[in-house]
Amino acid sequence: MTTGWPGGFPQRRMRRLRRTETIRRMVRETWVRPDHLILPLFVRPGRGIQEPVPSMPGVFRWSVDRVVEPAREAWELGVPAVILFGLPERKDDEGSEAWREDGVVQQAVRALKEVLPELVVITDVCLCEYTSHGHCGVLEGGEVANDASLERLARAALSHARAGADWVAPSDMMDGRVGVIRRALDEAGFHEVSILAYSAKYASAFYGPFREAADSAPAFGDRRGYQMDPANAREALLEVELDGAEGADLVMVKPALPYLDVIHQVRQRTTLPVVAYQVSGEYAMLRAAGRLGWLDEVQAMRESLTAIRRAGADLIITYAALEYARAWRRELGGGEA
């Protein structure tokens, strides 16, 4: 039998390299290893607390005295980093708890670095969790004031650096915040603290469960005046370019799965490491469909993470980091790809 194509079937049989799991592993192009993942952790006031987030099964709000538990498991499973989000004791109009030296995130950073000094501790730098109005900057005349917010964001980043954070991650989408934070860190002697910039953060419907977990929904309006329009891709490349010029060490695309094309274009454009955030809505959808029996949840999660890596992400922030790392150890013995 012949197809008439030189080098084609039957001489070329593509199924030969799909025949067994061992062969498939040997020729696999894209791998997601635990060291590609970053685990988000929510930290709240109190003691002895492990509080479930209803819309994100398997995700919890942790008190400072207990947040070391999931971080230690992550580290032991090969996940190299966590990113911290704080729920403050109180909120005010300017979000002053964000830069309090004994704030909940600052306490958590110190606790983690004391017990797990090699773990990379990343802190979210934003005001939305800390402001009474729930917006990512301070207000002037009912509008989010870009320039007035920059000094507050820099103060928050500095307080995280003083606590021992390895990377600070501004997620507010104010113009110029990377440069202001880089300058503040350098002037204070924190030259080695890296900036992971939320460069292409879209005004997405996929953030709903996070806003429940972090109690960060805006009290009025929305965030489309500063987060990106989901219809735009070229704009994302400009945001990445600007953040790189201002001193970002890593850049991020958020969300991940609905924006694989953007991740790919960013990867082609920049030499900086590219991080993608598999956000709460992505995670919650897969969990819900799995619990309803509509999907194989484990396989769907694995396929989603692989797609994000295949698009070009070097690192992925995902609420599934622990589950994936456990499966990796169970199935592959933690072996290298």
Side-chain angles (χ1 to χ4, degrees):
M1 181 179 178
T2 179
T3 63
W5 298 337
F9 179 83
Q11 293 83 10
R12 174 66 66 188
R13 291 178 180 266
M14 297 300 291
R15 288 177 56 185
R16 290 177 186 138
L17 298 183
R18 303 171 190 159
R19 191 169 55 85
T20 71
E21 175 58 22
T22 300
I23 293 172
R24 290 192 294 272
R25 286 182 58 207
M26 290 173 68
V27 298
R28 188 160 293 153
E29 299 173 23
T30 304
W31 284 84
V32 182
R33 298 192 300 269
D35 53 8
H36 294 134
L37 306 179
I38 298 168
L39 174 66
L41 292 172
F42 297 99
V43 190
R44 55 151 297 163
R47 290 190 60 80
I49 296 170
Q50 180 184 352
E51 180 181 43
V53 177
S55 58
M56 288 194 283
V59 176
F60 303 90
R61 303 181 189 95
W62 302 87
S63 54
V64 170
D65 61 315
R66 294 200 58 188
V67 75
V68 170
E69 297 172 25
R72 180 185 284 113
E73 183 183 4
W75 177 254
E76 291 174 350
L77 289 169
V79 176
V82 299
I83 182 167
L84 300 177
F85 299 91
L87 286 82
E89 292 185 6
R90 63 181 184 86
K91 302 187 179 194
D92 59 33
D93 287 348
E94 64 173 355
S96 61
E97 288 279 302
W99 55 84
R100 204 180 83 188
E101 294 300 323
D102 62 345
V104 67
V105 166
Q106 292 81 348
Q107 292 181 49
V109 172
R110 295 186 186 98
L112 291 171
K113 295 306 285 186
E114 180 178 356
V115 177
L116 300 165
E118 296 302 312
L119 178 75
V120 174
V121 178
I122 309 165
T123 57
D124 177 74
V125 177
C126 195
L127 301 183
C128 63
E129 295 127 288
Y130 303 93
T131 53
S132 53
H133 47 76
H135 279 284
C136 300
V138 295
L139 301 181
E140 291 181 357
E143 298 288 336
V144 176
N146 189 95
D147 295 9
S149 300
L150 300 182
E151 184 267 340
R152 276 86 164 179
L153 294 164
R155 289 173 69 181
L158 271 174
S159 72
H160 297 169
R162 282 192 289 268
D166 297 288
W167 302 356
V168 294
S171 62
D172 54 286
M173 289 301 285
M174 298 298 114
D175 292 332
R177 88 275 204 213
V178 172
V180 170
I181 290 171
R182 181 74 272 163
R183 189 158 50 249
L185 291 172
D186 289 349
E187 288 175 354
F190 294 107
H191 308 284
E192 302 303 318
V193 173
S194 298
I195 296 177
L196 163 57
Y198 285 66
S199 297
K201 180 179 179 180
Y202 286 87
S204 173
F206 287 89
Y207 301 151
F210 174 93
R211 291 176 182 174
E212 176 194 7
D215 189 25
S216 64
F220 65 90
D222 54 44
R223 294 175 179 150
R224 288 181 292 179
Y226 41 100
Q227 294 177 358
M228 283 185 55
D229 186 334
N232 293 356
R234 294 192 304 270
E235 184 183 1
L237 303 181
L238 179 56
E239 287 279 14
V240 166
E241 181 182 341
L242 290 169
D243 284 353
E246 289 179 22
D249 298 284
L250 310 92
V251 293
M252 187 195 298
V253 177
K254 178 185 180 183
L257 203 59
Y259 297 89
L260 295 180
D261 61 319
V262 177
I263 295 170
H264 181 70
Q265 291 181 63
V266 168
R267 174 69 287 158
Q268 299 302 307
R269 181 67 67 94
T270 184
T271 57
L272 294 174
V274 176
V275 181
Y277 198 145
Q278 186 187 48
V279 299
S280 59
E282 299 173 66
Y283 173 85
M285 286 195 306
L286 291 175
R287 291 290 259 172
R291 293 195 166 199
L292 288 168
W294 294 347
L295 289 176
D296 181 322
E297 182 183 330
V298 173
Q299 291 299 326
M301 190 69 73
R302 179 177 298 160
E303 188 175 337
S304 297
L305 293 172
T306 300
I308 296 164
R309 281 274 295 150
R310 191 179 65 242
D314 298 292
L315 299 169
I316 305 171
I317 301 173
T318 174
Y319 301 95
L322 285 178
E323 294 158 276
Y324 187 92
R326 291 178 193 130
W328 173 273
R329 174 163 292 184
R330 184 171 58 250
E331 296 172 16
L332 300 177
E336 287 295 319

